[in-house]
Amino acid sequence: MLDMELIRKDREAVATALAKRLDPAEVNRALDEIQRLDQERRALITEIDAERQRRKSDARAYAAAKRAGSAPEVSAPEAERKQLAELESQLDEVQSRLRDQMSELPNLPADDVLPGGKEANRVVKTFGEPPAIEKVRDHVELSRSLGLVDYERGVKLGGSGFWIYTGQGARLEWALVNWFIDRHIAAGYEFLLPPHLLLDSVGFAAGQFPKFYDDVYHLDRESAPRGQFLLPTAETALLGTYQDEILDATKLPLKTFAYTPCYRRESAGSHSDERGTVRGHQFNKVEIFQFTLPEQADAALEEMLAHAESLVEGLGLHYQRSLLSAGDASAGMKKTLDIEVWMPSTGKYKEVSSVSWAGDYQARRAAIRYREPGGKQTRFVHTLNGSALATSRLFPAILEQFQQPDGSVLVPEVLRDRVGTDRLTPLR
């Protein structure tokens, strides 16, 4: 959520930044309505405060008159009590409408983020070279020939968009998850295993609701009167863990991570380059997260990027880093950089990690603050998150980039002890 004070003081700058993401006319309409509601709210607060002050003054005068023996034997008129209640009710309604309007505004993109959609994304780093493969097999063919994934029985169990890792495929998937966990712990991140069912208030705090409310799986209201949903990413849970808390400034940055499956309603396997495990309704991901002081955020973003990239490099995969445009990044993020691995079968790169800086946007929604030692005022923390990493896309990238002419696939050296072999071979 944006800072209302910033809108009051520098509406033009806010409008210019939001125009990177939204139509300028739409931005101005939204800001007009927000400022109108803000003015109405402030006027009502002034009126209510004046009415309360008048009542206090009348009460003091009445008490003094009573002590002097001249107070009338009457109470405050019922109409006056009703008027204050009506004003307070109006204020509640205006504040609710203002909160709804503010919650729908996206974050302000960072200065170096370009306007536009995917066409405006910029590749800012490349690691390695695409492997030279004479006859490329795609990861679906390789998974089947090597006995790593059972797509048909996955559909039988869960429907379209689900699969089962089998045999050495299950070992490879789990080896990735455990290697990531070990690397994050070594980098100073605290390991959390959060619930997979979260309250709707947590989705709002993360900035996913209300805009992306329909993208996740919800429990029915009879089963979950407070509203619950299956988490689409551990980012949501890691942020919500510290909702409504004041953090110790001396302990920032606070670095946490979690492993969870991710559950999403998005269209699975609808494009030829998103077959197999590239996109589905349930996939595994390890997520890193940081809560920082505002002045620590730039360094934290670079550290998280370097850490996530070290994992892809450790696996020996060719990848690129892209700075996303304002229109292609998540609405709640100021800045997002994607780490994208090369998929030989399609000649395209696929994102395996998004490392993002939210500024204080999420912290305002979640009421996560810090207080300087000895200080009284609190300020909002900055939050950053990063996939480290999404295994459902690394898995096919490993199969395709390390495939051999005889149909086998080399296992990345860092995973061989965990998988129990240095090569995956076709079933006989």
Side-chain angles (χ1 to χ4, degrees), residues 37-105:
L37 289 169
D38 181 49
Q39 290 169 0
E40 186 176 350
R41 180 185 71 86
R42 297 170 80 183
L44 282 167
I45 290 173
T46 299
E47 189 174 357
I48 289 169
D49 287 346
E51 176 63 18
R52 287 173 176 163
Q53 189 59 41
R54 184 186 69 78
R55 291 185 179 212
K56 287 180 182 179
S57 179
D58 287 351
R60 286 194 293 268
Y62 178 84
K66 189 172 183 179
R67 286 193 298 272
S70 59
E73 295 298 324
V74 295
S75 59
E78 178 67 24
E80 289 188 5
R81 290 198 294 270
K82 186 176 181 182
Q83 180 189 14
L84 183 57
E86 288 176 348
L87 288 170
E88 291 171 338
S89 178
Q90 290 176 34
L91 178 61
D92 288 344
E93 181 184 350
V94 169
Q95 289 186 147
S96 177
R97 285 160 55 198
L98 178 59
R99 178 179 173 82
D100 288 346
Q101 291 287 326
M102 289 288 287
S103 71
E104 291 180 1
L105 284 180

Side-chain angles (χ1 to χ4, degrees), residues 144 149-159 162-164 166:
R144 287 194 167 112
V149 181
D150 192 328
Y151 301 103
E152 290 72 25
R153 288 191 175 96
V155 171
K156 182 167 67 175
L157 285 178
F162 294 89
W163 57 83
I164 303 174
T166 57

Side-chain angles (χ1 to χ4, degrees), residues 21 107 110 113 189 206 233 235 285 287-292 297-298 300-305 308 322-325 328-339 351 353-360 362 382-388:
R21 284 196 152 117
N107 205 344
V113 173
Y189 287 81
T233 168
E235 171 201 339
K285 183 155 68 77
E287 186 84 8
I288 55 177
F289 203 98
Q290 289 200 32
F291 302 84
T292 75
D298 284 340
L301 181 63
E302 291 303 317
E303 184 268 324
M304 292 174 75
L305 273 169
S322 294
L323 173 61
L324 299 194
S325 67
D328 197 32
S330 171
M333 299 299 139
K334 291 181 70 67
K335 186 174 184 177
T336 296
L337 295 108
D338 276 1
I339 300 168
E351 172 254 318
S353 174
S354 285
V355 180
S356 301
W357 167 41
D360 62 8
Q362 290 179 320
H382 280 211
T383 58
L384 304 98
N385 68 85
S387 314

Side-chain angles (χ1 to χ4, degrees), residues 356-373:
S356 301
W357 167 41
D360 62 8
Y361 184 88
Q362 290 179 320
R364 286 181 180 279
R365 300 170 76 102
I368 305 173
R369 296 146 290 160
Y370 70 93
R371 182 182 288 114
E372 297 285 1

Side-chain angles (χ1 to χ4, degrees), residues 179-190 253 255-257 288 290 303-304 306-308 310-311:
W179 185 60
F180 297 157
I181 289 171
D182 288 348
R183 290 290 300 271
H184 299 335
I185 292 172
Y189 287 81
E190 182 185 13
K255 301 164 66 173
T256 66
F257 81 96
I288 55 177
Q290 289 200 32
E303 184 268 324
M304 292 174 75
H307 181 59
S310 75
L311 301 177

Side-chain angles (χ1 to χ4, degrees), residues 191-198 231 233-238 241 257-261:
F191 188 16
L192 304 180
L193 284 174
H196 296 180
L197 276 174
L198 305 178
L231 84 176
T233 168
E235 171 201 339
T236 314
L238 291 171
T241 299
F257 81 96
Y259 155 72
T260 67

